[in-house]
Amino acid sequence: KVGVELGYRADGDGADDWRGFDQPNSISGSAPLVYSNSTVYEFFDAVTVPSTGQVVSVYGASASTLASSSWDPASWAWTAGASLASGTYMAALVCLPSTERIIAFTGRLTEAYYTDDLGVTWTQYSTHLEPEGSTALTYGRTRAVMVGEDIALAVDSAVAGTMVQFVSTDLGMTMTH
């Protein structure tokens, strides 16, 4: 089968400026969010703002700082945002559906930050998120998802093959195990 399987134009593209995917070709390259020949960003998460399609990403490589960037679908460009001095290089993002506020939960669940401006600024949202009795755990990669009006976190623990789940019924101010 020869031909374009999917064709589209982005806002602002000319009448003959088609984009598409020509099956069965595979993706042979990509453009990195951040390029550095000296730093490897292994841990990241991203969330899309539903009303605008803009993407906010948080990523880290050092033990104490997370960086952020936002992507604008109108310009197809990434813009660097503010850093989060979180004491970890891992985070999980969630976008609250009612306000489109973006919350970044740090990998060690010691704190969370929020942004209302696509990561241009980050403000501490809550602290000491670990429920009573779970402070002895060591956490790794964290993922967050909205479940109705609640936030669920899945966290990789230091115990091989073990995931720990947390839920917040107050939009990320506290967590229960």
Side-chain angles (χ1 to χ4, degrees), residues 95-154:
C95 182
L96 301 180
S98 57
T99 61
E100 296 189 339
R101 171 174 279 177
I102 297 168
I103 301 174
F105 296 96
T106 64
R108 293 191 177 99
L109 294 185
T110 53
E111 57 202 357
Y113 293 87
Y114 76 90
T115 182
D116 291 323
D117 56 13
L118 301 172
V120 173
T121 60
W122 290 91
T123 305
Q124 193 170 57
Y125 184 70
S126 55
T127 59
H128 308 294
L129 292 170
E130 289 182 297
E132 194 77 29
S134 38
T135 55
L137 297 173
T138 301
Y139 301 120
R141 294 178 192 256
T142 304
R143 291 295 177 251
V145 65
M146 292 296 302
V147 180
E149 291 295 316
D150 299 333
I151 299 172
L153 293 179

Side-chain angles (χ1 to χ4, degrees), residues 27-72:
I27 297 173
S28 60
S30 63
L33 169 66
V34 175
Y35 176 78
S36 171
N37 57 8
S38 62
T39 304
V40 176
Y41 293 98
E42 293 184 71
F43 303 102
F44 66 92
D45 199 9
V47 67
T48 302
V49 178
S51 66
T52 64
Q54 292 169 300
V55 176
V56 173
S57 181
V58 172
Y59 46 92
S62 72
S64 61
T65 303
L66 289 162
S68 69
S69 292
S70 64
W71 181 76
D72 184 352

Side-chain angles (χ1 to χ4, degrees), residues 1 14 74 143 159:
K1 191 174 189 180
R143 291 295 177 251
V159 179

